[in-house]
Protein backbone atom coordinates (compact mmCIF):
# COMPACT_ATOMS: atom_id res chain seq x y z
CA UNK A 1 0.00 0.00 0.00
CA UNK A 2 1.08 3.57 -0.65
CA UNK A 3 1.56 5.80 2.41
CA UNK A 4 -1.58 7.71 1.42
CA UNK A 5 -3.57 4.48 1.24
CA UNK A 6 -2.29 3.44 4.64
CA UNK A 7 -3.44 6.78 6.08
CA UNK A 8 -6.86 6.40 4.45
CA UNK A 9 -7.18 2.88 5.83
CA UNK A 10 -6.23 4.12 9.30
CA UNK A 11 -8.97 6.79 9.10
CA UNK A 12 -11.63 4.13 8.45
CA UNK A 13 -10.31 2.06 11.36
CA UNK A 14 -9.92 4.82 13.93
CA UNK A 15 -12.22 7.75 13.13
CA UNK A 16 -15.85 7.87 14.21
CA UNK A 17 -18.67 7.53 11.70
CA UNK A 18 -19.42 11.26 11.81
CA UNK A 19 -15.89 12.20 10.72
CA UNK A 20 -14.98 13.32 7.20
CA UNK A 21 -12.87 10.72 5.39
CA UNK A 22 -10.15 11.88 3.04
CA UNK A 23 -10.87 9.23 0.42
CA UNK A 24 -14.52 10.32 0.37
CA UNK A 25 -13.88 14.02 -0.21
CA UNK A 26 -16.29 15.77 -2.55
CA UNK A 27 -13.22 16.90 -4.44
CA UNK A 28 -11.67 20.05 -5.83
CA UNK A 29 -12.84 22.57 -8.41
CA UNK A 30 -10.00 21.40 -10.67
CA UNK A 31 -9.34 17.68 -10.63
CA UNK A 32 -5.80 16.59 -9.77
CA UNK A 33 -3.92 13.32 -9.62
CA UNK A 34 -3.69 11.97 -6.09
CA UNK A 35 -0.47 12.18 -4.10
CA UNK A 36 1.21 8.90 -3.18
CA UNK A 37 2.32 10.18 0.22
CA UNK A 38 -0.45 12.43 1.55
CA UNK A 39 -4.24 12.32 1.78
CA UNK A 40 -6.25 15.08 0.16
CA UNK A 41 -6.70 16.93 3.46
CA UNK A 42 -3.01 16.63 4.28
CA UNK A 43 -2.19 18.22 0.92
CA UNK A 44 -4.55 21.10 1.68
CA UNK A 45 -2.90 21.66 5.06
CA UNK A 46 0.52 21.81 3.41
CA UNK A 47 -0.63 24.18 0.68
CA UNK A 48 -1.98 26.61 3.26
CA UNK A 49 1.09 26.33 5.47
CA UNK A 50 3.44 27.20 2.59
CA UNK A 51 1.43 30.01 1.00
CA UNK A 52 2.35 33.71 1.11
CA UNK A 53 -0.84 34.78 2.88
CA UNK A 54 -0.08 32.48 5.79
CA UNK A 55 3.39 33.98 6.27
CA UNK A 56 2.00 37.51 6.24
CA UNK A 57 -0.18 36.72 9.26
CA UNK A 58 2.88 37.15 11.49
CA UNK A 59 2.76 40.91 10.83
CA UNK A 60 -1.01 41.41 11.20
CA UNK A 61 -2.74 42.65 14.36
CA UNK A 62 -4.73 40.32 16.56
CA UNK A 63 -6.10 42.83 19.12
CA UNK A 64 -3.36 45.28 20.13
CA UNK A 65 -2.12 47.61 17.39
CA UNK A 66 1.69 47.84 17.17
CA UNK A 67 2.26 46.56 20.72
CA UNK A 68 5.57 47.42 22.36
CA UNK A 69 6.63 43.89 23.17
CA UNK A 70 7.49 40.58 21.56
CA UNK A 71 4.98 38.43 23.45
CA UNK A 72 1.67 39.86 22.23
CA UNK A 73 -0.34 37.68 19.87
CA UNK A 74 -0.36 38.34 16.17
CA UNK A 75 -2.82 36.89 13.68
CA UNK A 76 -0.31 34.09 13.05
CA UNK A 77 0.13 33.05 16.68
CA UNK A 78 -3.66 33.19 17.09
CA UNK A 79 -4.00 30.84 14.12
CA UNK A 80 -1.49 28.39 15.59
CA UNK A 81 -3.29 28.39 18.94
CA UNK A 82 -6.62 27.77 17.20
CA UNK A 83 -5.04 24.89 15.30
CA UNK A 84 -3.69 23.29 18.48
CA UNK A 85 -7.03 23.54 20.33
CA UNK A 86 -9.01 22.33 17.31
CA UNK A 87 -6.72 19.35 16.85
CA UNK A 88 -7.11 18.41 20.52
CA UNK A 89 -10.89 18.49 20.16
CA UNK A 90 -10.81 16.53 16.90
CA UNK A 91 -8.44 13.88 18.24
CA UNK A 92 -10.52 13.28 21.36
CA UNK A 93 -13.76 13.05 19.37
CA UNK A 94 -12.11 10.87 16.68
CA UNK A 95 -12.75 13.41 13.95
CA UNK A 96 -10.40 13.96 11.02
CA UNK A 97 -7.45 15.83 12.50
CA UNK A 98 -5.90 16.66 9.11
CA UNK A 99 -9.09 18.32 7.87
CA UNK A 100 -9.48 20.16 11.17
CA UNK A 101 -5.91 21.45 11.01
CA UNK A 102 -6.25 22.61 7.40
CA UNK A 103 -9.41 24.59 8.20
CA UNK A 104 -7.81 26.11 11.31
CA UNK A 105 -4.63 27.18 9.49
CA UNK A 106 -6.66 28.79 6.69
CA UNK A 107 -9.49 30.37 8.63
CA UNK A 108 -7.98 33.87 8.96
CA UNK A 109 -5.96 34.17 5.73
CA UNK A 110 -8.25 36.96 4.54
CA UNK A 111 -7.90 39.15 7.61
CA UNK A 112 -7.00 42.78 7.07
CA UNK A 113 -4.15 44.76 8.58
CA UNK A 114 -5.06 46.24 11.98
CA UNK A 115 -7.38 43.39 12.90
CA UNK A 116 -11.14 43.84 13.07
CA UNK A 117 -10.73 47.62 12.91
CA UNK A 118 -9.43 47.24 9.38
CA UNK A 119 -12.18 44.77 8.54
CA UNK A 120 -14.89 47.16 9.75
CA UNK A 121 -13.48 50.00 7.67
CA UNK A 122 -13.31 47.97 4.45
CA UNK A 123 -16.85 46.76 5.14
CA UNK A 124 -17.97 50.40 5.33
CA UNK A 125 -16.09 51.46 2.21
CA UNK A 126 -16.80 48.62 -0.19
CA UNK A 127 -20.20 48.58 -1.92
CA UNK A 128 -20.04 44.78 -1.70
CA UNK A 129 -19.22 44.73 2.01
CA UNK A 130 -16.20 42.97 3.43
CA UNK A 131 -15.96 40.02 5.83
CA UNK A 132 -12.71 38.28 6.63
CA UNK A 133 -14.16 34.77 6.39
CA UNK A 134 -15.38 35.43 2.84
CA UNK A 135 -12.04 37.01 1.99
CA UNK A 136 -10.19 33.99 3.40
CA UNK A 137 -12.04 31.81 0.91
CA UNK A 138 -11.26 34.28 -1.87
CA UNK A 139 -7.57 34.12 -0.92
CA UNK A 140 -7.38 30.34 -1.30
CA UNK A 141 -9.65 30.24 -4.37
CA UNK A 142 -8.28 33.15 -6.39
CA UNK A 143 -5.53 35.30 -4.91
CA UNK A 144 -2.84 32.82 -3.93
CA UNK A 145 -0.21 31.59 -6.39
CA UNK A 146 -0.45 34.76 -8.50
CA UNK A 147 -4.13 34.33 -9.19
CA UNK A 148 -4.22 30.56 -9.64
CA UNK A 149 -5.49 29.81 -6.13
CA UNK A 150 -4.69 26.75 -4.01
CA UNK A 151 -7.46 24.52 -5.41
CA UNK A 152 -8.41 23.16 -1.99
CA UNK A 153 -10.98 20.46 -1.30
CA UNK A 154 -14.56 21.56 -0.81
CA UNK A 155 -14.53 20.41 2.83
CA UNK A 156 -11.65 22.73 3.72
CA UNK A 157 -13.14 25.61 1.75
CA UNK A 158 -16.49 25.13 3.52
CA UNK A 159 -14.84 25.14 6.96
CA UNK A 160 -12.88 28.31 6.19
CA UNK A 161 -15.96 30.16 4.95
CA UNK A 162 -18.21 29.07 7.82
CA UNK A 163 -15.87 29.25 10.80
CA UNK A 164 -17.57 32.36 12.22
CA UNK A 165 -21.35 32.19 12.02
CA UNK A 166 -22.65 29.74 9.42
CA UNK A 167 -23.64 26.08 9.47
CA UNK A 168 -20.55 24.06 8.47
CA UNK A 169 -20.99 20.88 6.44
CA UNK A 170 -18.53 18.89 8.57
CA UNK A 171 -18.09 18.27 12.28
CA UNK A 172 -14.47 19.29 11.81
CA UNK A 173 -15.71 22.73 10.80
CA UNK A 174 -17.56 22.99 14.11
CA UNK A 175 -14.44 21.98 16.03
CA UNK A 176 -12.55 24.90 14.46
CA UNK A 177 -15.43 27.29 15.13
CA UNK A 178 -15.33 26.55 18.87
CA UNK A 179 -11.53 26.46 18.96
CA UNK A 180 -11.38 29.93 17.41
CA UNK A 181 -13.48 31.50 20.17
CA UNK A 182 -11.82 29.50 22.96
CA UNK A 183 -8.40 30.62 21.72
CA UNK A 184 -9.07 34.32 21.21
CA UNK A 185 -11.06 34.88 24.41
CA UNK A 186 -8.31 33.36 26.54
CA UNK A 187 -5.23 34.68 24.79
CA UNK A 188 -6.80 38.14 24.66
CA UNK A 189 -7.13 38.00 28.45
CA UNK A 190 -3.46 37.08 28.64
CA UNK A 191 -2.45 39.98 26.37
CA UNK A 192 -4.72 42.39 28.23
CA UNK A 193 -3.06 41.48 31.53
CA UNK A 194 0.33 41.96 29.89
CA UNK A 195 -0.79 45.40 28.66
CA UNK A 196 -2.02 46.45 32.12
CA UNK A 197 -5.64 46.71 30.99
CA UNK A 198 -6.81 43.79 33.13
CA UNK A 199 -5.76 41.88 36.20
CA UNK A 200 -6.70 38.23 36.67
CA UNK A 201 -8.72 39.18 39.74
CA UNK A 202 -10.86 41.57 37.65
CA UNK A 203 -12.61 38.60 36.07
CA UNK A 204 -15.80 37.98 38.10
CA UNK A 205 -15.57 35.04 40.48
CA UNK A 206 -18.81 33.65 39.06
CA UNK A 207 -16.80 32.98 35.89
CA UNK A 208 -13.46 31.89 37.31
CA UNK A 209 -14.99 29.56 39.89
CA UNK A 210 -16.43 27.56 36.99
CA UNK A 211 -13.84 27.98 34.23
CA UNK A 212 -10.64 28.37 36.23
CA UNK A 213 -8.26 31.04 37.45
CA UNK A 214 -5.71 30.94 34.63
CA UNK A 215 -5.61 30.86 30.83
CA UNK A 216 -4.64 27.20 30.66
CA UNK A 217 -7.24 26.19 33.24
CA UNK A 218 -10.02 27.96 31.35
CA UNK A 219 -9.01 26.44 28.01
CA UNK A 220 -8.89 22.99 29.60
CA UNK A 221 -12.35 23.41 31.16
CA UNK A 222 -13.93 24.59 27.91
CA UNK A 223 -12.31 21.93 25.75
CA UNK A 224 -13.05 19.13 28.20
CA UNK A 225 -16.68 20.19 28.45
CA UNK A 226 -17.06 20.02 24.66
CA UNK A 227 -15.44 16.59 24.53
CA UNK A 228 -17.42 15.18 27.45
CA UNK A 229 -20.71 16.20 25.82
CA UNK A 230 -19.68 14.58 22.52
CA UNK A 231 -21.11 14.93 19.03
CA UNK A 232 -24.82 15.30 18.34
CA UNK A 233 -26.73 14.60 15.17
CA UNK A 234 -27.94 17.66 13.31
CA UNK A 235 -31.60 16.69 13.64
CA UNK A 236 -31.34 16.47 17.46
CA UNK A 237 -29.18 19.57 17.95
CA UNK A 238 -30.63 22.70 19.52
CA UNK A 239 -29.62 25.04 16.71
CA UNK A 240 -26.43 24.64 14.74
CA UNK A 241 -24.20 25.19 17.80
CA UNK A 242 -25.89 22.26 19.52
CA UNK A 243 -23.95 19.87 17.29
CA UNK A 244 -21.03 20.50 19.63
CA UNK A 245 -22.02 21.72 23.06
CA UNK A 246 -20.73 22.42 26.54
CA UNK A 247 -22.47 21.62 29.80
CA UNK A 248 -25.08 24.19 30.85
CA UNK A 249 -22.91 25.49 33.70
CA UNK A 250 -19.77 25.88 31.57
CA UNK A 251 -21.66 27.43 28.67
CA UNK A 252 -23.23 30.04 30.98
CA UNK A 253 -19.82 30.99 32.40
CA UNK A 254 -18.30 31.04 28.89
CA UNK A 255 -20.98 33.48 27.67
CA UNK A 256 -20.43 35.66 30.75
CA UNK A 257 -16.69 35.71 30.00
CA UNK A 258 -17.38 36.67 26.41
CA UNK A 259 -19.54 39.59 27.57
CA UNK A 260 -16.96 40.62 30.14
CA UNK A 261 -14.24 40.79 27.48
CA UNK A 262 -16.34 42.92 25.17
CA UNK A 263 -17.14 45.34 27.96
CA UNK A 264 -13.65 45.44 29.47
CA UNK A 265 -11.27 44.99 26.54
CA UNK A 266 -12.74 44.98 23.04
CA UNK A 267 -14.49 48.32 23.58
CA UNK A 268 -11.93 49.71 26.05
CA UNK A 269 -10.57 53.14 24.92
CA UNK A 270 -7.13 52.26 26.27
CA UNK A 271 -7.05 49.21 24.04
CA UNK A 272 -8.62 50.85 21.01
CA UNK A 273 -7.11 54.35 21.19
CA UNK A 274 -5.17 53.96 17.92
CA UNK A 275 -7.90 52.24 15.92
CA UNK A 276 -9.26 55.44 14.40
CA UNK A 277 -5.87 56.31 12.97
CA UNK A 278 -5.53 52.84 11.47
CA UNK A 279 -8.99 53.06 9.94
CA UNK A 280 -8.24 56.49 8.51
CA UNK A 281 -5.12 55.08 6.86
CA UNK A 282 -7.15 52.32 5.24
CA UNK A 283 -9.74 54.84 4.07
CA UNK A 284 -7.04 56.98 2.44
CA UNK A 285 -5.49 53.94 0.76
CA UNK A 286 -8.86 52.75 -0.50
CA UNK A 287 -9.70 56.14 -1.98
CA UNK A 288 -6.27 56.48 -3.58
CA UNK A 289 -6.30 53.09 -5.29
CA UNK A 290 -9.88 53.33 -6.49
CA UNK A 291 -8.96 56.68 -8.06
CA UNK A 292 -5.57 55.47 -9.35
CA UNK A 293 -6.08 51.89 -10.46
CA UNK A 294 -2.87 52.11 -12.47
CA UNK A 295 -0.95 52.23 -9.19
CA UNK A 296 -2.05 48.70 -8.28
CA UNK A 297 0.33 45.79 -8.96
CA UNK A 298 -0.35 44.06 -12.27
CA UNK A 299 -2.20 41.08 -10.76
CA UNK A 300 -4.67 43.37 -8.99
CA UNK A 301 -5.23 45.45 -12.13
CA UNK A 302 -6.18 42.19 -13.82
CA UNK A 303 -8.51 41.37 -10.92
CA UNK A 304 -10.10 44.81 -11.30
CA UNK A 305 -10.87 43.99 -14.93
CA UNK A 306 -12.58 40.71 -13.96
CA UNK A 307 -14.19 41.56 -10.61
CA UNK A 308 -14.41 45.36 -10.48
CA UNK A 309 -12.16 48.04 -9.04
CA UNK A 310 -13.64 48.02 -5.52
CA UNK A 311 -13.12 44.30 -5.05
CA UNK A 312 -9.58 44.39 -6.41
CA UNK A 313 -8.67 47.27 -4.09
CA UNK A 314 -10.10 45.32 -1.13
CA UNK A 315 -8.04 42.33 -2.24
CA UNK A 316 -4.88 44.41 -2.28
CA UNK A 317 -5.40 46.30 0.98
CA UNK A 318 -6.64 43.29 2.97
CA UNK A 319 -3.52 41.39 1.96
CA UNK A 320 -1.22 44.06 3.41
CA UNK A 321 0.56 43.59 6.72
CA UNK A 322 0.30 46.35 9.30
CA UNK A 323 3.83 47.52 8.52
CA UNK A 324 3.35 47.50 4.75
CA UNK A 325 0.10 49.46 5.06
CA UNK A 326 1.81 52.11 7.20
CA UNK A 327 4.81 52.36 4.84
CA UNK A 328 2.55 52.59 1.80
CA UNK A 329 0.54 55.35 3.47
CA UNK A 330 3.73 57.27 4.27
CA UNK A 331 4.97 56.93 0.71
CA UNK A 332 1.70 58.13 -0.79
CA UNK A 333 0.63 60.88 1.61
CA UNK A 334 3.54 62.11 3.73
CA UNK A 335 6.19 64.33 2.07
CA UNK A 336 9.71 62.99 2.23
CA UNK A 337 11.93 64.72 4.76
CA UNK A 338 14.39 67.30 3.43
CA UNK A 339 17.83 65.83 3.04
CA UNK A 340 20.36 67.47 5.37
CA UNK A 341 23.59 68.30 3.57
Amino acid sequence: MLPREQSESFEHTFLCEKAAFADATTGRERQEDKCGLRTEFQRDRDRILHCNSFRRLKHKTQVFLSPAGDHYRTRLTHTLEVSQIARTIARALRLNEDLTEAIALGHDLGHTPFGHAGERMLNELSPYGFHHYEQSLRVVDILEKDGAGLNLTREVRDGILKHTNQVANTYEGYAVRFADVIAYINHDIDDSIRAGILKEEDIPSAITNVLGHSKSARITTLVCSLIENGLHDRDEAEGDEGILRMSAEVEKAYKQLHRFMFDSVYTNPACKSEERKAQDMIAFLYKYYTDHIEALPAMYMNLAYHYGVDMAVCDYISGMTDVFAVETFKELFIPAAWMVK
Side-chain angles (χ1 to χ4, degrees), residues 74-273:
T74 65
R75 191 62 57 178
L76 177 61
T77 53
H78 161 72
T79 295
L80 295 176
E81 292 184 35
V82 172
S83 176
Q84 178 269 316
I85 293 171
R87 287 176 57 191
T88 297
I89 295 170
R91 188 183 300 119
L93 293 173
R94 293 194 295 126
L95 296 172
N96 194 307
E97 196 173 335
D98 295 323
L99 171 57
T100 304
E101 184 178 21
I103 295 170
L105 293 177
H107 82 283
D108 269 356
L109 291 179
H111 240 300
T112 61
F114 313 120
H116 287 288
E119 179 179 20
R120 288 192 296 271
M121 179 51 65
L122 283 184
N123 188 46
E124 290 180 22
L125 294 169
S126 173
Y128 308 105
F130 183 93
H131 303 286
H132 78 274
Y133 46 88
E134 294 174 346
Q135 189 66 18
S136 294
L137 184 62
R138 186 167 168 82
V139 166
V140 299
D141 281 353
I142 298 170
L143 303 182
E144 268 298 331
K145 297 184 68 175
D146 298 322
L150 300 181
N151 195 32
L152 303 180
T153 58
R154 292 183 177 90
E155 288 84 358
V156 174
R157 294 174 63 250
D158 174 80
I160 289 173
L161 177 64
K162 298 175 180 177
H163 77 269
T164 299
N165 56 12
Q166 298 182 58
V167 182
N169 291 339
T170 64
Y171 286 91
E172 289 80 2
Y174 282 100
V176 174
R177 181 170 170 179
F178 273 96
D180 186 25
V181 182
I182 291 171
Y184 81 67
I185 284 289
N186 286 286
H187 66 50
D188 291 351
I189 293 173
D190 195 39
D191 283 351
S192 298
I193 292 172
R194 180 173 288 108
I197 292 173
L198 279 184
K199 297 188 293 294
E200 176 68 36
E201 51 267 31
D202 291 334
I203 305 174
S205 59
I207 297 172
T208 56
N209 287 341
V210 175
L211 300 184
H213 296 272
S214 69
K215 174 175 67 71
S216 60
R218 286 186 287 270
I219 291 174
T220 298
T221 299
L222 293 166
V223 169
C224 286
S225 187
L226 283 174
I227 293 168
E228 288 165 4
N229 280 275
L231 302 172
H232 299 268
D233 291 330
R234 294 173 189 270
D235 56 1
E236 69 178 31
E238 299 172 0
D240 60 285
E241 291 188 359
I243 292 171
L244 274 177
R245 66 183 72 159
M246 305 170 190
S247 69
E249 181 185 31
V250 170
E251 182 178 18
K252 179 181 177 181
Y254 155 76
K255 289 181 177 179
Q256 290 173 335
L257 181 61
H258 205 270
R259 184 71 265 165
F260 169 79
M261 286 298 290
F262 269 91
D263 293 341
S264 303
V265 176
Y266 301 137
T267 58
N268 189 317
C271 180
K272 299 300 181 183
S273 59

Side-chain angles (χ1 to χ4, degrees), residues 2-15:
L2 294 170
R4 168 182 53 79
E5 294 171 332
Q6 292 174 348
S7 295
E8 291 169 347
S9 176
F10 174 80
E11 288 183 0
H12 284 281
T13 301
F14 178 75
L15 300 186

